[in-house]
Amino acid sequence: MNKHILHVVGARPNFMKVAPVLRVLQEDDGIRQTLVHTGQHYDANMSDVFFRELDLPEPDINLGVGSASHAVQTASIMLRFEKVVLEDRPDLVLVYGDVNSTVAAALVCAKLGIPVGHVEAGLRSFDRAMPEEINRLLTDQITDILFTPSVDGNENLAREGIDSGKIHFVGNVMIDTLIRLLPRATDVSTRRFGVLPQQYGLVTLHRPSNVDDPVMLQTIMDTLQKIATQLPLLFPIHPRTRKRLQEMGYQITNSALQLLEPLGYIEFLALQKNARLVITDSGGIQEETSYLGIPCLTVRNNTERPVTITVGTNTLVGQDMERLKREVNRILGGLYKEGSIPPLWDGHAGERIARIVTQQW
Ligand code: UD1
């Protein structure tokens, strides 16, 4: 009898993580797969474009939950997903990353006694003010099989009392997708935005701690305008950030800071690959820049991905804008660290997950 594996995704950073796992499992005739999209992200440029570019199949089911408060969003996913699980009775559910969709789906499965695996387990920022940290802690406590991207993940899980037999260090699935699509990320995109390779910086900011407080957001934006006088900046704007800037009526006076719509995966990858530096508060981008060897300045006080600092090209600048400017100058002056690629970020994490799933479950 075919084994039935159901994958749950919901928000932009989930899509590049599910793609390699789904792809490898597709080659196994003994496995039937279902892809559920919770609808946490729904705009075409936050969702559809990724399905197309990553060659993901159309979701079999879209729960259509949309945006809401954390409680409402998480609860709506649970209510709708429980029906799917009761009807489909999958043999294993796989959840990805640390978004609200991840914890909601894991909790439904744990209560129904359906085995659930967490891809990207064990990461910890030790900052419970971050919604994602709560999602990570809870998900890892209630999942049956935990796939870690780096050894710090194993250490964190061991400290939290998770049975070592459930934990598998498989490497970084997001890097599988990056390696597969890198050849398609040409420098056409840099020309489209009127900048030259190595002569611009790329910015993304969407964390509530940076964008939900108008004073903080204003300080960050003013600093970016100053940095843009030295190095043109491209800033594809997350809908959360755009909304906040509109509410504040923020005006950009330096045209060297270009605000763009959210970009697709391949175009954004091309912009990362060709950038002189990246300024971000995203988790995934800290990893992608480390793989690509591009200096990354992270506007956060902590990271759940410490390997990007100890091994990769990442530096935490906190919310200290003077520090951000100093680090930009160090990079422009050629004084920044080189970094290397963390272990098992090799393009084969999806295969390792598939092997464990097929052999042990
Ligand atoms: C979510 C994840 C975060 C991840 C980010 C990537 C949680 C708790 N947070 O944050 O970990 O880094 O996705 O993007 O799960 N919106 C749109 N269109 C969309 C989606 C959202 O306009 O397609 C707007 C809505 O105004 C919404 C806001 O963005 O209220 C925030 O969306 P939400 O999914 O709640 O959180 P993100 O900030 O995207």
Side-chain angles (χ1 to χ4, degrees), residues 31-302:
I31 290 187
R32 178 164 77 84
Q33 303 192 79
T34 301
L35 180 58
V36 174
H37 190 326
T38 65
Q40 177 174 345
H41 283 174
Y42 43 85
D43 285 348
N45 59 15
M46 296 293 285
S47 180
D48 302 4
V49 63
F50 293 88
F51 275 73
R52 235 182 5 259
E53 293 187 351
L54 304 176
D55 308 309
L56 278 168
E58 286 278 305
D60 298 287
I61 298 165
N62 192 321
L63 303 178
V65 297
S67 301
S69 71
H70 284 267
V72 170
Q73 188 175 63
T74 308
S76 317
I77 297 168
M78 289 184 69
L79 286 169
R80 296 177 197 194
F81 184 59
E82 186 182 47
K83 291 201 184 91
V84 173
V85 175
L86 285 172
E87 215 163 275
D88 278 18
R89 286 271 159 200
D91 297 300
L92 177 68
V93 171
L94 290 177
V95 298
Y96 296 82
D98 57 12
V99 301
N100 287 346
S101 302
T102 312
V103 67
L107 190 48
V108 167
C109 295
K111 296 276 181 156
L112 292 175
I114 303 279
V116 51
H118 183 203
V119 177
E120 202 187 81
L123 299 185
R124 296 290 179 269
S125 66
F126 304 100
D127 174 4
R128 292 195 183 190
M130 272 183 91
E132 294 81 4
E133 183 73 355
I134 307 295
N135 296 343
R136 290 188 279 260
L137 280 160
L138 298 183
T139 303
D140 287 342
Q141 280 297 325
I142 55 176
T143 44
D144 304 281
I145 175 163
L146 298 99
F147 300 105
T148 61
S150 45
V151 282
D152 53 284
N154 294 55
E155 289 157 14
N156 292 332
L157 295 172
R159 206 184 35 255
E160 289 167 19
I162 310 274
D163 174 1
S164 63
K166 292 178 172 182
I167 306 169
H168 302 271
F169 171 39
V170 293
N172 192 326
V173 274
M174 198 146 156
I175 300 300
D176 289 14
T177 294
L178 185 153
I179 292 173
R180 182 168 72 86
L181 293 178
L182 197 55
R184 282 165 59 189
T186 62
D187 65 3
V188 174
S189 316
T190 51
R191 274 179 262 139
R192 174 155 103 88
F193 299 114
V195 289
L196 293 168
Q198 288 300 309
Q199 294 183 28
Y200 66 93
L202 181 63
V203 181
T204 82
L205 296 164
H206 73 283
R207 294 269 156 226
S209 55
N210 284 328
V211 308
D212 284 2
D213 170 7
V215 176
M216 190 65 233
L217 185 54
Q218 162 113 31
T219 312
I220 295 176
M221 292 302 295
D222 291 350
T223 307
L224 293 176
Q225 295 214 63
K226 283 195 196 113
I227 294 172
T229 58
Q230 291 172 277
L231 181 73
L233 295 178
L234 302 180
F235 186 175
I237 282 247
H238 187 284
R240 172 190 282 275
T241 313
R242 184 174 289 281
K243 212 159 132 188
R244 300 288 178 255
L245 288 173
Q246 275 162 357
E247 283 160 8
M248 286 161 59
Y250 190 85
Q251 294 298 330
I252 294 190
T253 48
N254 180 356
S255 60
L257 171 61
Q258 284 188 61
L259 296 194
L260 315 172
E261 286 304 309
L263 300 173
Y265 181 80
I266 291 169
E267 191 153 54
F268 189 77
L269 182 56
L271 288 183
Q272 284 193 81
K273 183 180 96 172
N274 290 304
R276 184 82 183 82
L277 57 88
V278 173
I279 298 170
T280 192
D281 59 11
S282 148
I285 294 169
Q286 295 171 51
E287 300 182 333
E288 290 170 343
T289 47
S290 277
Y291 182 85
L292 294 166
I294 304 294
C296 178
L297 302 176
T298 298
V299 185
R300 282 176 50 189
N301 294 318
N302 49 56

